Amino acid sequence: MKPLVAIVGRPNVGKSTFFNRMIGERRAIVEDLPGTTRDRLYGDTDWNGRTFTLIDTGGLALGEGTPPGQVGLSGLSGDLMEHVRSQVQLAIEEADVIVFMVDVRTGITTADEEVAALLRRTNKPVILAANKADNDSQRQYAPEFYALGLGEPIDISALHGLGTGDLLDKIVESL
Ligand code: GDP
Ligand code: MG
């Protein structure tokens, strides 16, 4: 079996944008585990001669079917935050490497802090990707995420394909 690399993080940080950039035209498989929501996409990709399976999490939970619920301290509805938490737990169990994505344009949110607290408890490699660093002025905010206690943030722009090579180098080194 190929190594599994899960992308986690709160909604809207750019997980799917990065996943789609990597998987592109190749077919993504929607996981259909009994008892779980169908919200994980799997796709194979390779970098520097290493093949691995990338997992995009949290996709379909944001669909129209999701009731808004009550917004909690995390800035997300309780249901949504619970969903993010369960995706992180699943990643901790099944993935070989976890990519935790955050957004330089919003800075650290309470939801990010919650996810970070879960991830600090695993011995698996966690790579912090500071996304939406589209230009130099945005990139300068990336070091702020050191405060999450998960090591060096790697600034990327999933949208423009900037810094993604460095992120992939780090992923492959951690496999
Ligand atoms: P997800 O909920 O984490 O999967 O986030 P998405 O991939 O759906 O992206 C959420 C929004 O952020 C979309 O409007 C994307 O176009 C935008 N986005 C994603 N990556 C970047 C980026 O690198 N730069 C900018 N400016 N926007 C981005
Ligand atoms: Mg998504």
Side-chain angles (χ1 to χ4, degrees):
M1 202 167 118
K2 300 176 196 82
L4 289 176
V5 178
I7 315 164
V8 301
R10 64 181 173 80
N12 223 32
V13 292
K15 299 180 298 296
S16 299
T17 303
F18 178 68
F19 178 87
N20 291 335
R21 175 170 279 278
M22 292 307 302
I23 303 306
E25 304 280 278
R26 282 167 281 199
R27 209 162 67 93
I29 314 277
V30 180
E31 183 193 45
D32 210 358
L33 278 181
T36 65
T37 45
R38 300 177 73 229
D39 61 350
R40 294 163 79 75
L41 287 171
Y42 288 67
D44 288 351
T45 188
D46 51 75
W47 182 254
N48 286 347
R50 292 294 306 271
T51 301
F52 54 92
T53 301
L54 201 59
I55 311 171
D56 181 20
T57 69
L60 308 182
L62 279 172
E64 300 93 298
T66 310
Q70 204 161 5
V71 174
L73 282 176
S74 63
L76 302 180
S77 76
D79 286 352
L80 200 48
M81 192 61 225
E82 190 47 47
H83 186 78
V84 171
R85 263 187 231 112
S86 70
Q87 289 292 345
V88 172
Q89 292 296 0
L90 211 49
I92 287 173
E93 286 161 34
E94 76 174 340
D96 298 291
V97 174
I98 299 162
V99 175
F100 174 27
M101 194 167 283
V102 291
D103 178 345
V104 293
R105 299 198 303 185
T106 59
I108 296 173
T109 70
T110 309
D112 294 333
E113 283 169 349
E114 274 206 45
V115 172
L118 294 171
L119 291 175
R120 284 195 301 268
R121 294 194 216 136
T122 176
N123 292 322
K124 291 189 175 173
V126 175
I127 300 171
L128 185 56
N131 189 37
K132 307 196 187 180
D134 298 344
N135 51 49
D136 285 338
S137 67
Q138 299 294 348
R139 200 173 299 133
Q140 69 179 336
Y141 295 108
E144 183 183 314
F145 294 95
Y146 267 109
L148 292 172
L150 290 163
E152 186 193 4
I154 301 182
D155 55 88
I156 69 163
S157 169
L159 194 60
H160 300 296
L162 302 170
T164 48
D166 291 340
L167 175 60
L168 289 160
D169 284 347
K170 187 111 187 241
I171 290 171
V172 166
E173 280 164 25
S174 308
L175 290 176

